[in-house]
Amino acid sequence: MNNFKRVLLTCALSAAMVSAASAADMAVEEAPVVVPSTSGFYIGSLSSVSFLDDTTFTSGVGAISTDYDTGFYSSIRAGYNFGSMGFISPRIELELGYGSASVDAHSVNGAGVPSIDSFGDARSFQGYVNGYLDIPLTNDGFFSAVTPFVGGGVGFMNLELRKQGVAGTATLIDDSDTQFAYHLDAGVGINLQGIGLFSDMSLFDNTTLDIGYRFTAADDFDFVARNGSASSTDFRSHAVTFGLRKQF
């Protein structure tokens, strides 16, 4: 009788162990590890405080160099994030924007003209195809929400030297031209909810604040002054940029 009880107890323990193992296997199968995808389309905006280099043109009074006040540039953009590819995450986007800077002072044949006697501005419409590489710092913790990026874009710029002139001689030039343009960018993207901002607002889900630097260049704009003088100039600007991206 004692041997029979031992056999029954052994069978019962074996069955319990098999059942527990099966339950554990089922639990593992029912709860697989899900790795979230970081790829997807996004839309956004970009604004900047811009610092334009001098432009030049020739008029009846001579060679004129123009210094500008601090300007601005604003754009809309739409793109696609390809997600993680090793240590980087590439993005591509389209951008269309408008910029402007008022004349601070003209120089005529090297002689400075007071700001109060200089007028006009430089306006630009710009369009680009951009490419960026996001470089994540870490996969978790606070710094996982901060992602450096580098990149740039190529496209076009329509530059207008709008109603530029000197008091006493009226408007000297009011002309525009379109040329190939490019820009180089570097900065950081900050996931707003990842750093604890707007965590209870679904509007800011997958929203990134971009802060960076941009260098923009375009060459050989051809202009004709009011007196018929033809000349060309280059465009260069340095800018501090701020933008938002919302990914879907």
Side-chain angles (χ1 to χ4, degrees), residues 60-65 107-112:
V61 297
I64 298 174
S65 177
S107 296
V108 180
N109 295 323

Side-chain angles (χ1 to χ4, degrees), residues 158-177:
N158 176 266
L159 176 63
E160 179 185 13
L161 301 185
R162 180 181 178 275
K163 296 182 178 179
Q164 294 192 11
V166 177
T169 59
T171 299
L172 298 175
I173 193 170
D174 187 9
D175 197 13
S176 65
D177 190 24

Side-chain angles (χ1 to χ4, degrees), residues 203-223:
L203 176 65
F204 291 95
D205 287 348
N206 299 318
T207 299
T208 301
L209 169 65
D210 291 326
I211 302 175
Y213 162 82
R214 170 175 288 189
F215 170 75
T216 305
D219 296 331
D220 300 326
F221 290 96
D222 295 323
F223 296 109

Side-chain angles (χ1 to χ4, degrees), residues 138-234:
T138 180
N139 292 326
D140 52 29
F142 177 84
F143 287 104
S144 64
V146 179
T147 305
F149 66 83
V150 294
V154 295
F156 74 90
M157 178 187 297
N158 176 266
L159 176 63
E160 179 185 13
L161 301 185
R162 180 181 178 275
K163 296 182 178 179
Q164 294 192 11
V166 177
T169 59
T171 299
L172 298 175
I173 193 170
D174 187 9
D175 197 13
S176 65
D177 190 24
T178 301
Q179 295 293 341
F180 170 82
Y182 67 92
H183 64 86
L184 302 173
D185 299 19
V188 293
I190 303 171
N191 185 297
L192 294 179
Q193 293 188 334
I195 61 172
L197 295 177
F198 311 109
S199 57
D200 58 346
M201 299 178 65
S202 60
L203 176 65
F204 291 95
D205 287 348
N206 299 318
T207 299
T208 301
L209 169 65
D210 291 326
I211 302 175
Y213 162 82
R214 170 175 288 189
F215 170 75
T216 305
D219 296 331
D220 300 326
F221 290 96
D222 295 323
F223 296 109
V224 177
R226 283 288 177 87
N227 76 327
S229 299
S231 55
S232 65
T233 191
D234 298 333

